[in-house]
Amino acid sequence: MKFKKLKLYTNKLESELRFYSETLGFEILEQKEKFFTVKVGWSELSFEKSEKEYKYHYCFLIPANKLNEALEWMEKRTEIVNIDNGRKIQNFESWNADSFYFYDASGNIAEFIVRYDLKNNDNYDFDISKVLGVNEMGMPTADVKKTNDQLQNELGTEYWKGDIVRFGTNGTQEGIFLLPNYDIKDIWFPTSIKIKPEPFEAIIENGKKEYHIEYRNEKIKTTANRV
């Protein structure tokens, strides 16, 4: 599974545009008064202006051998979240992955992750063009199993790892929906941001099919796209 497009909502659109285009240097694909889109590897990331504040968790995939280099590169541009006692890298043993976290201009918690099982090493110096794509998107729910079952039935994706009651995942290592039960797991690690079922839209590719997903008011609406 891959995220081809991801659209989030922000009440700080101008700040978000500066962060992604100037601070980090992603290429702007489209820019209008109330939204913009940047190119993130195989994905497109869009922000649309809203009156309300939303708080998301999402993640970018980078080559498996570039974690420390990417961390050094990012530290020159934005503040990296201190997990504890100066530690900035989090290991996920059962996922065979490492990551670090940062806040975007809206205060969302974003992440760069390496997944060693993908064996996608890169031989060149890290820069923003080495980001491979959007890798994770938080989809909080009050019923992990029900949400996972709907994704499986309508998108053909599969449950990956985790706990079907507290915090599950759906997708593949190239693209994953994070399914925390917000009644049990209340904050996004490693922050104090409350987990809420915030609205977003996405286009995902699974196999040779594309699907449009709208997540709003904790309801998932999916449509198969013609490829």
Side-chain angles (χ1 to χ4, degrees), residues 1-4 40 42-43 59-62 95 113-120 131-137 157 160 170-177 203-207:
M1 182 185 119
K2 288 184 176 179
F3 287 95
K4 304 302 289 185
V40 183
W42 60 59
S43 309
C59 176
F60 302 113
L61 182 68
I62 61 174
W95 291 17
I113 195 167
V114 296
R115 297 182 179 275
Y116 301 108
D117 291 345
L118 292 176
K119 297 180 170 56
N120 54 7
V131 177
L132 299 171
V134 173
N135 185 241
E136 298 174 359
M137 180 60 206
T157 55
W160 187 53
N170 178 286
T172 71
Q173 294 206 59
E174 289 185 319
I176 294 174
F177 288 109
I203 292 177
I204 66 111
E205 179 184 86
N206 186 40

Side-chain angles (χ1 to χ4, degrees), residues 34 38 74 81 87 122 126 150 184 187 200 202 206 217:
K34 293 189 176 181
V38 292
M74 285 287 285
V81 173
R87 178 171 63 88
D122 186 276
F126 182 85
Q150 184 178 355
I184 301 172
I187 59 171
F200 69 87
N206 186 40
N217 300 321

